[in-house]
Amino acid sequence: MEIKISTPRQFNFIRTVFSHGWCELVPFELNKSRSRLVRVVELPDGSPVTLTISRAGHGIKIDAPGRINRAAAAKIERDVRHMLRLDDDMTGYYSAVAGNAEFEWVAREGAGRLLRAPTVFEDMVKMICTTNCSWALTDKMNAALVNLLGKPAADGRRSFPTPQAMAEMPAGFYRDEVRAGYRAPYLKELADSVASGAVDPEQWLSSELPAAELKREMKKIKGVGDYAAENMMRLVGRYDGLALDSWIRSKFSKTRNKGRIASDKKIERYYAGFGEWKGLALWCDMTRDWLDEEGN
DNA sequence: GCGTCCAGGTCTACC
DNA sequence: GGTAGACCTGGACGC
């Protein structure tokens, strides 16, 4: 079955899909030409289905195997709209960068929509797995979670595990099987608290808390510090945190500071003029060269 | 082969 | 509130 969705005028499929590393982490997959994003999502009855998402005219199309009923189609469209940020209003951001010669490319290329998982829970688990380790280890931990706890779709690909599935496993599983090391109790505690209803990360999407308070809420999760919380803030649509990490500091030094180490305060000053959008301006600035203007 | 460093940080104890 | 030290893993690097 094929589902077509129209997209906002300045939506850029490849800039969104390749906006950060999530497209490389299962159950996301990006094909070599970067023209198709594959993703396993769960239907309303909990069964996994593999979607193939690609550009089609002025919108996108979603290919799903077999027949899909109306409720399933609605869930698929909701998940895809959520993942690709199709309902995010970027006009404020594009206004903030307008007139700045170094950033005018952002609106021209439709950059700034950051790919996210269908659930905040999945984003949070993955974010914890990015802390204090190489990307290769993040990939390995995430793949173990999906392969060991995800449910198989018809083609053998697996969904991301639910909070309940993760909560059923002991902390030792995350240490010994997922190889999460000291993050193991953090993953267990997060899964337990979400599965029990004590914490509801999905509510952060519509939270009316001021950014600073929402960030404090996120940091109550063990294993979530400034870097992880500020990255999570971006994924729920708040962009005033810079989420500085070793990669950003290194990249800024190379591209904006003549190769010299820059202090965090200097990085903050550089993007301060973008106000509530400074975290997104920084991210776009640091990742502009991931793609050329033709999307290659 | 072995030791060291460190990567898309965070927590805790201590001051 | 600020900071030093500990913390898992695994790839890269030097020897």
Side-chain angles (χ1 to χ4, degrees):
Chain A
M1 181 176 178
E2 184 178 291
I3 300 171
K4 288 191 173 173
I5 302 179
S6 61
T7 54
R9 189 172 57 86
Q10 286 177 298
F11 174 74
N12 183 325
F13 178 78
I14 189 60
R15 276 275 175 202
T16 301
V17 168
F18 213 60
S19 53
H20 60 119
W22 263 206
C23 63
E24 299 174 357
L25 298 179
V26 287
F28 281 116
E29 281 177 47
L30 188 59
N31 70 333
K32 279 191 175 175
S33 66
R34 299 170 175 170
S35 59
R36 291 194 303 276
L37 178 68
V38 174
R39 168 74 206 201
V40 180
V41 301
E42 288 197 356
L43 298 179
D45 64 0
S47 60
V49 61
T50 300
L51 309 178
T52 302
I53 309 163
S54 56
R55 280 181 285 202
H58 295 295
I60 56 173
K61 69 170 183 174
I62 307 161
D63 289 301
R67 297 171 71 95
I68 301 289
N69 64 33
R70 186 179 298 179
K75 171 69 162 52
I76 288 170
E77 179 168 346
R78 177 271 166 200
D79 281 354
V80 171
R81 297 190 76 85
H82 180 85
M83 291 187 286
L84 298 180
R85 319 293 292 264
L86 296 182
D87 298 314
D88 284 21
D89 181 2
M90 305 304 289
T91 54
Y93 178 47
Y94 295 157
S95 295
V97 298
N100 186 323
E102 293 283 340
F103 290 82
E104 50 81 28
W105 69 273
V106 169
R108 187 178 67 244
E109 290 194 36
R113 295 176 199 273
L114 305 182
L115 184 71
R116 61 188 175 189
T119 67
V120 181
F121 171 74
E122 179 182 330
D123 284 331
M124 183 60 96
V125 170
K126 285 178 170 171
M127 201 62 74
I128 290 173
C129 291
T130 68
T131 58
N132 196 29
C133 64
S134 62
W135 184 254
L137 184 55
T138 297
D139 189 19
K140 186 172 182 175
M141 287 186 275
N142 178 70
L145 286 172
V146 170
N147 291 332
L148 297 172
L149 297 180
K151 285 188 284 190
D155 64 355
R157 290 183 171 90
R158 288 176 178 271
S159 61
F160 194 83
T162 62
Q164 290 73 22
M166 286 184 63
E168 287 171 6
M169 306 305 289
F173 167 82
Y174 297 101
R175 184 184 61 242
D176 302 331
E177 305 295 326
V178 178
R179 309 296 291 168
Y182 70 89
R183 305 168 197 81
Y186 303 158
L187 296 176
K188 170 64 176 167
E189 188 174 322
L190 172 62
D192 284 346
S193 58
V194 175
S196 70
V199 172
D200 180 11
E202 311 310 314
Q203 176 268 332
W204 296 338
L205 291 164
S206 56
S207 172
E208 294 185 357
L209 288 175
E213 284 185 42
L214 183 56
K215 182 180 162 185
R216 270 197 293 276
E217 282 295 305
M218 291 179 176
K219 287 181 70 175
K220 288 178 183 173
I221 307 287
K222 283 278 184 65
V224 176
D226 284 333
Y227 153 82
E230 290 176 7
N231 267 315
M232 286 303 301
M233 291 286 281
R234 289 176 183 163
L235 298 184
V236 299
R238 311 283 191 107
Y239 300 104
D240 53 354
L242 298 182
L244 298 178
D245 56 25
S246 56
W247 183 81
I248 287 283
R249 292 183 178 101
S250 171
K251 188 71 185 283
F252 183 90
S253 297
K254 288 176 193 160
T255 60
R256 293 295 186 193
N257 207 41
K258 299 177 181 175
R260 296 192 299 269
I261 294 172
S263 68
D264 289 358
K265 286 194 183 303
K266 180 163 189 176
I267 300 174
E268 286 172 21
R269 280 198 303 274
Y270 190 86
Y271 298 99
F274 298 106
E276 64 179 321
W277 298 98
K278 59 180 178 286
L280 191 53
L282 172 145
W283 186 253
C284 288
D285 194 29
M286 294 295 98
T287 60
R288 178 182 183 180
D289 61 2
W290 285 6
L291 296 169
D292 61 27
E293 298 207 1
E294 278 70 49
N296 297 303

